[in-house]
Amino acid sequence: MSNLKTVRDREKLTGWLLITPALLLLLLVFAYPIGRAIWLSLFTKNLGTNLQPVFTGIGNYSRMMGDGRFWQSIGNTTIFTAIAVSIELILGMGVALVLNQSFRGRGLARTIAILPWALPTALIGLTWTWIFNDQYGVLNDILLRLHLIPEAINWLGDPTLALFATIAADIWKTTSFVAILLLAGLQSISEDLYEAHAIDGATPWQSFRQITLPLLMPQILIAVLFRFAQSFGVFDLIKVMTEGGPAGATEMVSIYIYATVMRYLDFGYGAALVVVTFLVLIVAVAISTFILSKLRTNISGAQ
């Protein structure tokens, strides 16, 4: 018995020794920057007015409560994230179901499907900027040739249209990422389950609802959490396409933080924005995880 306990203790020690480098790396990469931002957010440090930081406590956070531009950027980011992630999940599911079927050229189709995600985001943003160009853009050219619009539309110059244009570009790029994650989950589901279900008289829709969705919920959860975090922190796509305009209609919270720190040199307030955004993201991810977990339980219970 003592020998068995000794072996277990050695295995635990070996396990801790193996994960220690990873824990230290996480501490350096994540914990230190977050801790530094929290500490800096308690000071007023603006290189444009004063070089020495002045301790103000929660002064930056109080200022944030009345900052209309910050709340507008939070609203824009929320709308962008909610619409983009929802549509990407639906389209990604459809693409994954198609790519999971057996057909000639499936390997090539899967390769093509991942290309949008593999391309640099800045390049994608520049491409979609030209597509939505009001004078030379291919979208206006197609719509005019089909007589669907009377005149060219300034897609990136209208506040509402500009927001949805950036959402469309993000959906085009990242739907393939969601599709690949879901495809990996679909390939882990045995075909015997569908065959047995079909023998019992189930329709394809019933098989999808009663077999595919419950077994695919872990991959759906991972895809949603990944995309939620990425969409909430979107920067390069917006920076290239609109730079937050027009009139702040597409200014995401990351763009506002960038402007606060790099343009206005207000490091203390910028750090406070980072801290609050980080907390909002954690809360949103926790809520999303809870909802998806409840949904998974309900689907499993309905069976």
Side-chain angles (χ1 to χ4, degrees), residues 118-177:
L119 294 173
T121 305
L123 177 62
I124 296 299
L126 185 61
T127 302
W128 280 96
T129 300
W130 278 104
I131 291 175
F132 286 118
N133 186 277
D134 58 328
Q135 295 182 1
Y136 310 106
V138 66
L139 179 59
N140 274 336
D141 183 61
I142 293 175
L143 295 177
L144 287 171
R145 290 176 182 273
L146 295 176
H147 303 288
L148 296 177
I149 56 175
E151 58 183 8
I153 299 176
N154 188 5
W155 298 97
L156 299 180
D158 181 270
T160 302
L161 294 178
L163 179 59
F164 285 100
T166 57
I167 292 174
D170 184 73
I171 291 172
W172 183 86
K173 174 174 173 55
T174 53
T175 294
S176 57
F177 172 74

Coordinates of all heavy atoms in Angstrom, one line a residue, residues 118-177:
A118 N -7.6 31.4 -43.5 CA -6.2 31.4 -43.6 C -5.6 32.7 -44.1 O -4.5 33.1 -43.8 CB -5.7 30.3 -44.5
L119 N -6.4 33.5 -44.9 CA -5.9 34.8 -45.4 C -5.8 35.8 -44.3 O -6.5 35.8 -43.4 CB -6.8 35.3 -46.5 CG -6.9 34.4 -47.8 CD1 -8.0 34.9 -48.7 CD2 -5.6 34.4 -48.5
P120 N -4.8 36.7 -44.4 CA -4.6 37.8 -43.4 C -5.8 38.7 -43.4 O -6.4 39.1 -44.4 CB -3.4 38.6 -44.0 CG -2.7 37.6 -44.9 CD -3.7 36.8 -45.5
T121 N -6.2 39.1 -42.1 CA -7.4 39.9 -42.0 C -7.3 41.2 -42.6 O -8.3 41.8 -43.2 CB -7.7 40.0 -40.4 OG1 -7.8 38.7 -39.8 CG2 -9.0 40.8 -40.2
A122 N -6.1 41.8 -42.5 CA -5.9 43.2 -43.1 C -6.1 43.1 -44.6 O -6.7 44.0 -45.2 CB -4.5 43.7 -42.8
L123 N -5.7 42.0 -45.3 CA -5.9 41.9 -46.7 C -7.3 41.7 -47.0 O -7.9 42.3 -48.0 CB -5.1 40.6 -47.2 CG -5.2 40.3 -48.7 CD1 -4.7 41.4 -49.5 CD2 -4.4 39.0 -49.0
I124 N -8.0 40.9 -46.2 CA -9.5 40.7 -46.4 C -10.2 42.1 -46.2 O -11.1 42.4 -47.0 CB -10.0 39.7 -45.4 CG1 -9.4 38.3 -45.6 CG2 -11.5 39.6 -45.4 CD1 -9.7 37.7 -47.0
G125 N -9.8 42.8 -45.2 CA -10.5 44.1 -45.0 C -10.3 45.1 -46.2 O -11.2 45.8 -46.6
L126 N -9.1 45.1 -46.8 CA -8.8 45.9 -47.9 C -9.6 45.4 -49.1 O -10.1 46.3 -49.9 CB -7.3 45.9 -48.3 CG -6.8 46.8 -49.4 CD1 -7.1 48.2 -49.1 CD2 -5.3 46.6 -49.6
T127 N -9.7 44.1 -49.3 CA -10.5 43.6 -50.4 C -12.0 44.0 -50.3 O -12.6 44.4 -51.3 CB -10.4 42.1 -50.4 OG1 -9.0 41.7 -50.5 CG2 -11.2 41.5 -51.6
W128 N -12.5 43.9 -49.1 CA -13.9 44.2 -48.9 C -14.2 45.7 -49.0 O -15.3 46.2 -49.4 CB -14.5 43.7 -47.6 CG -14.8 42.2 -47.7 CD1 -14.0 41.2 -47.4 CD2 -16.0 41.7 -48.2 NE1 -14.7 40.0 -47.6 CE2 -15.9 40.3 -48.1 CE3 -17.2 42.2 -48.7 CZ2 -16.9 39.4 -48.6 CZ3 -18.2 41.4 -49.2 CH2 -18.1 40.0 -49.1
T129 N -13.1 46.5 -48.7 CA -13.2 48.0 -48.9 C -13.5 48.3 -50.3 O -14.3 49.2 -50.7 CB -12.0 48.7 -48.3 OG1 -11.8 48.4 -46.9 CG2 -12.1 50.2 -48.5
W130 N -12.7 47.6 -51.2 CA -12.9 47.9 -52.6 C -14.2 47.3 -53.1 O -14.8 47.9 -54.0 CB -11.7 47.2 -53.4 CG -10.5 48.1 -53.4 CD1 -9.4 48.0 -52.7 CD2 -10.3 49.3 -54.2 NE1 -8.5 49.0 -52.9 CE2 -9.1 49.9 -53.9 CE3 -11.1 50.0 -55.1 CZ2 -8.6 51.0 -54.4 CZ3 -10.7 51.2 -55.7 CH2 -9.4 51.7 -55.4
I131 N -14.6 46.2 -52.6 CA -15.9 45.6 -53.0 C -17.1 46.6 -52.7 O -18.0 46.8 -53.5 CB -16.2 44.2 -52.3 CG1 -15.2 43.2 -52.9 CG2 -17.6 43.8 -52.5 CD1 -15.3 41.9 -52.1
F132 N -17.0 47.2 -51.5 CA -18.1 48.1 -51.1 C -17.8 49.6 -51.5 O -18.6 50.5 -51.2 CB -18.2 48.1 -49.5 CG -18.8 46.9 -49.0 CD1 -18.1 46.0 -48.2 CD2 -20.1 46.6 -49.3 CE1 -18.7 44.9 -47.6 CE2 -20.7 45.4 -48.8 CZ -20.0 44.6 -48.0
N133 N -16.8 49.8 -52.3 CA -16.5 51.2 -52.8 C -17.7 51.7 -53.6 O -18.2 51.0 -54.5 CB -15.2 51.2 -53.7 CG -14.8 52.6 -54.1 OD1 -15.4 53.1 -55.1 ND2 -13.9 53.1 -53.3
D134 N -18.1 52.9 -53.4 CA -19.3 53.4 -54.0 C -19.2 53.8 -55.5 O -20.1 53.7 -56.2 CB -19.8 54.7 -53.3 CG -18.8 55.8 -53.2 OD1 -17.6 55.4 -53.1 OD2 -19.2 57.0 -53.2
Q135 N -17.9 54.0 -55.9 CA -17.7 54.4 -57.3 C -17.2 53.2 -58.1 O -17.6 53.0 -59.3 CB -16.7 55.5 -57.4 CG -17.2 56.8 -56.7 CD -16.2 58.0 -56.9 OE1 -15.1 57.8 -57.5 NE2 -16.6 59.1 -56.3
Y136 N -16.3 52.4 -57.6 CA -15.6 51.4 -58.4 C -15.9 50.0 -57.8 O -15.4 49.0 -58.3 CB -14.1 51.6 -58.4 CG -13.7 53.0 -58.8 CD1 -13.2 53.9 -57.9 CD2 -13.9 53.4 -60.1 CE1 -12.9 55.2 -58.2 CE2 -13.5 54.7 -60.5 CZ -13.0 55.6 -59.5 OH -12.7 56.9 -59.9
G137 N -16.7 49.9 -56.8 CA -16.9 48.6 -56.1 C -17.7 47.6 -57.0 O -18.7 48.0 -57.7
V138 N -17.4 46.3 -56.9 CA -18.1 45.3 -57.7 C -19.5 45.1 -57.2 O -20.4 44.7 -58.0 CB -17.3 44.0 -57.7 CG1 -17.2 43.4 -56.3 CG2 -17.8 43.0 -58.7
L139 N -19.8 45.3 -56.0 CA -21.1 45.1 -55.4 C -22.1 46.1 -56.1 O -23.2 45.7 -56.6 CB -21.1 45.3 -53.9 CG -22.5 45.1 -53.3 CD1 -23.1 43.7 -53.6 CD2 -22.4 45.3 -51.8
N140 N -21.8 47.4 -56.1 CA -22.6 48.3 -56.8 C -22.8 48.0 -58.3 O -23.8 48.2 -58.8 CB -22.1 49.7 -56.6 CG -22.5 50.4 -55.3 OD1 -23.6 50.0 -54.7 ND2 -21.8 51.3 -54.8
D141 N -21.7 47.6 -58.9 CA -21.7 47.3 -60.3 C -22.7 46.2 -60.6 O -23.5 46.3 -61.6 CB -20.3 46.9 -60.8 CG -20.3 46.7 -62.3 OD1 -20.6 47.6 -63.1 OD2 -20.0 45.5 -62.7
I142 N -22.7 45.1 -59.8 CA -23.6 44.0 -60.0 C -25.0 44.4 -59.8 O -25.9 44.1 -60.6 CB -23.2 42.8 -59.1 CG1 -21.9 42.3 -59.5 CG2 -24.3 41.8 -59.1 CD1 -21.4 41.2 -58.5
L143 N -25.3 45.2 -58.7 CA -26.6 45.6 -58.4 C -27.2 46.6 -59.4 O -28.4 46.5 -59.8 CB -26.7 46.3 -57.0 CG -26.3 45.3 -55.8 CD1 -26.3 46.1 -54.5 CD2 -27.3 44.2 -55.7
L144 N -26.3 47.4 -60.0 CA -26.8 48.3 -61.0 C -27.1 47.6 -62.3 O -28.1 47.9 -63.0 CB -25.7 49.4 -61.3 CG -25.6 50.5 -60.2 CD1 -24.3 51.4 -60.4 CD2 -26.8 51.4 -60.1
R145 N -26.3 46.6 -62.6 CA -26.5 45.8 -63.9 C -27.8 45.0 -63.8 O -28.4 44.8 -64.8 CB -25.3 44.9 -64.1 CG -24.0 45.6 -64.6 CD -22.9 44.7 -64.7 NE -21.6 45.3 -65.0 CZ -21.2 45.6 -66.3 NH1 -22.0 45.2 -67.3 NH2 -20.1 46.2 -66.5
L146 N -28.1 44.6 -62.6 CA -29.3 43.8 -62.4 C -30.5 44.7 -62.1 O -31.7 44.3 -61.9 CB -29.2 42.9 -61.2 CG -28.1 41.8 -61.4 CD1 -28.0 41.0 -60.1 CD2 -28.5 40.9 -62.5
H147 N -30.3 46.1 -62.2 CA -31.4 47.1 -62.0 C -32.1 46.9 -60.6 O -33.3 47.1 -60.5 CB -32.4 47.0 -63.1 CG -31.8 47.2 -64.5 ND1 -31.4 48.4 -64.9 CD2 -31.6 46.2 -65.5 CE1 -30.9 48.2 -66.2 NE2 -31.0 46.9 -66.5
L148 N -31.3 46.5 -59.6 CA -31.8 46.3 -58.2 C -31.7 47.6 -57.4 O -32.4 47.8 -56.4 CB -31.1 45.2 -57.5 CG -31.2 43.8 -58.1 CD1 -30.4 42.8 -57.3 CD2 -32.7 43.4 -58.1
I149 N -30.8 48.5 -57.9 CA -30.7 49.8 -57.2 C -30.7 50.9 -58.3 O -30.2 50.7 -59.4 CB -29.5 49.9 -56.3 CG1 -28.2 49.6 -57.2 CG2 -29.6 49.0 -55.1 CD1 -26.9 49.8 -56.4
P150 N -31.3 52.1 -58.0 CA -31.3 53.1 -59.0 C -30.0 53.9 -59.2 O -29.6 54.4 -60.3 CB -32.4 54.1 -58.5 CG -32.4 53.9 -57.0 CD -32.0 52.5 -56.8
E151 N -29.2 53.9 -58.1 CA -27.9 54.6 -58.2 C -26.9 53.9 -57.2 O -27.3 53.1 -56.3 CB -28.0 56.1 -57.8 CG -28.6 56.3 -56.5 CD -28.8 57.8 -56.2 OE1 -28.6 58.6 -57.1 OE2 -29.2 58.1 -55.1
A152 N -25.6 54.2 -57.4 CA -24.6 53.6 -56.5 C -24.8 54.0 -55.0 O -25.2 55.1 -54.7 CB -23.2 54.0 -56.9
I153 N -24.6 53.0 -54.2 CA -24.8 53.2 -52.7 C -23.4 53.4 -52.1 O -22.5 52.6 -52.3 CB -25.5 52.0 -52.1 CG1 -26.9 51.8 -52.7 CG2 -25.6 52.1 -50.6 CD1 -27.6 50.6 -52.2
N154 N -23.4 54.3 -51.2 CA -22.1 54.6 -50.4 C -22.1 53.7 -49.2 O -22.5 54.1 -48.1 CB -22.0 56.1 -50.1 CG -20.6 56.4 -49.4 OD1 -19.7 55.5 -49.4 ND2 -20.5 57.6 -49.0
W155 N -21.8 52.4 -49.3 CA -21.9 51.5 -48.3 C -21.1 51.8 -47.0 O -21.6 51.7 -45.9 CB -21.4 50.1 -48.8 CG -22.2 49.6 -49.9 CD1 -21.9 49.6 -51.3 CD2 -23.5 48.9 -49.9 NE1 -22.9 49.1 -52.0 CE2 -23.9 48.6 -51.2 CE3 -24.3 48.4 -48.8 CZ2 -25.0 47.9 -51.5 CZ3 -25.4 47.8 -49.1 CH2 -25.8 47.5 -50.4
L156 N -19.9 52.3 -47.2 CA -19.1 52.6 -46.0 C -19.2 54.0 -45.6 O -18.5 54.5 -44.6 CB -17.6 52.3 -46.4 CG -17.3 50.8 -46.7 CD1 -15.8 50.6 -47.1 CD2 -17.7 49.9 -45.6
G157 N -20.0 54.8 -46.3 CA -20.2 56.2 -45.9 C -21.5 56.4 -45.1 O -21.7 57.5 -44.5
D158 N -22.4 55.4 -45.1 CA -23.6 55.5 -44.3 C -23.4 54.8 -43.0 O -23.0 53.6 -42.9 CB -24.8 54.8 -45.1 CG -26.1 54.9 -44.4 OD1 -26.4 54.0 -43.6 OD2 -26.8 55.9 -44.6
P159 N -23.8 55.4 -41.8 CA -23.6 54.8 -40.5 C -24.1 53.4 -40.4 O -23.4 52.5 -39.9 CB -24.2 55.8 -39.6 CG -24.2 57.1 -40.3 CD -24.4 56.8 -41.7
T160 N -25.4 53.2 -40.8 CA -26.0 51.9 -40.6 C -25.4 50.9 -41.6 O -25.1 49.7 -41.2 CB -27.5 52.0 -40.8 OG1 -28.1 52.9 -39.9 CG2 -28.2 50.6 -40.6
L161 N -25.3 51.2 -42.9 CA -24.8 50.3 -43.9 C -23.3 50.0 -43.6 O -22.9 48.8 -43.8 CB -24.9 50.9 -45.3 CG -26.3 51.2 -45.8 CD1 -26.3 51.8 -47.1 CD2 -27.1 49.8 -45.8
A162 N -22.5 50.9 -43.1 CA -21.1 50.6 -42.8 C -21.0 49.6 -41.7 O -20.1 48.7 -41.8 CB -20.4 51.9 -42.3
L163 N -21.8 49.6 -40.7 CA -21.7 48.6 -39.7 C -22.0 47.2 -40.2 O -21.3 46.2 -39.9 CB -22.7 48.9 -38.5 CG -22.7 47.9 -37.3 CD1 -21.4 47.8 -36.7 CD2 -23.8 48.4 -36.3
F164 N -23.1 47.1 -41.0 CA -23.4 45.8 -41.6 C -22.5 45.4 -42.7 O -22.3 44.2 -42.9 CB -24.9 45.9 -42.1 CG -25.9 45.9 -41.1 CD1 -26.5 47.0 -40.7 CD2 -26.3 44.7 -40.4 CE1 -27.5 47.0 -39.7 CE2 -27.2 44.7 -39.4 CZ -27.8 45.8 -39.0
A165 N -21.8 46.3 -43.3 CA -20.8 45.9 -44.3 C -19.6 45.3 -43.6 O -19.0 44.3 -44.1 CB -20.3 47.2 -45.1
T166 N -19.2 45.8 -42.4 CA -18.1 45.2 -41.7 C -18.5 43.8 -41.1 O -17.7 42.9 -41.1 CB -17.6 46.1 -40.5 OG1 -18.8 46.4 -39.7 CG2 -17.1 47.4 -41.1
I167 N -19.7 43.7 -40.7 CA -20.2 42.4 -40.2 C -20.2 41.4 -41.4 O -19.8 40.2 -41.2 CB -21.7 42.6 -39.7 CG1 -21.7 43.4 -38.4 CG2 -22.3 41.2 -39.4 CD1 -23.0 43.7 -37.9
A168 N -20.6 41.8 -42.6 CA -20.6 40.9 -43.7 C -19.2 40.4 -44.0 O -18.9 39.2 -44.3 CB -21.2 41.6 -44.9
A169 N -18.2 41.3 -44.0 CA -16.8 41.0 -44.2 C -16.3 40.0 -43.2 O -15.6 39.0 -43.5 CB -15.9 42.2 -44.2
D170 N -16.7 40.2 -41.9 CA -16.2 39.3 -40.8 C -16.9 37.9 -41.0 O -16.2 36.9 -40.8 CB -16.6 39.9 -39.5 CG -16.1 39.1 -38.3 OD1 -14.9 39.1 -38.1 OD2 -16.9 38.4 -37.6
I171 N -18.1 37.9 -41.4 CA -18.8 36.6 -41.6 C -18.2 35.8 -42.7 O -18.0 34.6 -42.6 CB -20.3 36.9 -41.9 CG1 -21.0 37.4 -40.6 CG2 -21.0 35.6 -42.4 CD1 -22.5 37.8 -40.9
W172 N -17.8 36.5 -43.8 CA -17.2 35.8 -44.9 C -15.9 35.2 -44.5 O -15.6 34.1 -44.9 CB -17.0 36.8 -46.1 CG -16.4 36.1 -47.3 CD1 -17.1 35.5 -48.3 CD2 -15.0 36.0 -47.6 NE1 -16.2 35.0 -49.2 CE2 -14.9 35.3 -48.8 CE3 -13.8 36.4 -47.0 CZ2 -13.7 35.0 -49.4 CZ3 -12.6 36.1 -47.6 CH2 -12.6 35.4 -48.8
K173 N -15.1 35.9 -43.7 CA -13.8 35.4 -43.3 C -13.9 34.3 -42.3 O -13.1 33.3 -42.4 CB -12.9 36.5 -42.7 CG -11.6 36.0 -42.2 CD -10.7 37.1 -41.8 CE -9.4 36.6 -41.1 NZ -8.7 35.6 -41.9
T174 N -14.7 34.4 -41.3 CA -14.6 33.5 -40.1 C -15.7 32.4 -40.1 O -15.6 31.5 -39.2 CB -14.7 34.3 -38.8 OG1 -15.9 35.1 -38.9 CG2 -13.5 35.2 -38.7
T175 N -16.6 32.3 -41.1 CA -17.5 31.2 -41.1 C -16.8 29.9 -41.3 O -17.2 28.9 -40.8 CB -18.6 31.4 -42.3 OG1 -19.4 32.6 -41.9 CG2 -19.4 30.2 -42.4
S176 N -15.7 29.9 -42.1 CA -15.0 28.7 -42.4 C -14.3 28.2 -41.1 O -14.2 27.0 -40.9 CB -13.9 29.0 -43.4 OG -13.0 30.1 -43.0
F177 N -13.9 29.1 -40.2 CA -13.3 28.6 -38.9 C -14.4 27.8 -38.1 O -14.1 26.8 -37.6 CB -12.8 29.8 -38.1 CG -12.4 29.5 -36.8 CD1 -11.2 28.9 -36.5 CD2 -13.2 29.9 -35.7 CE1 -10.8 28.6 -35.2 CE2 -12.8 29.6 -34.4 CZ -11.6 28.9 -34.1

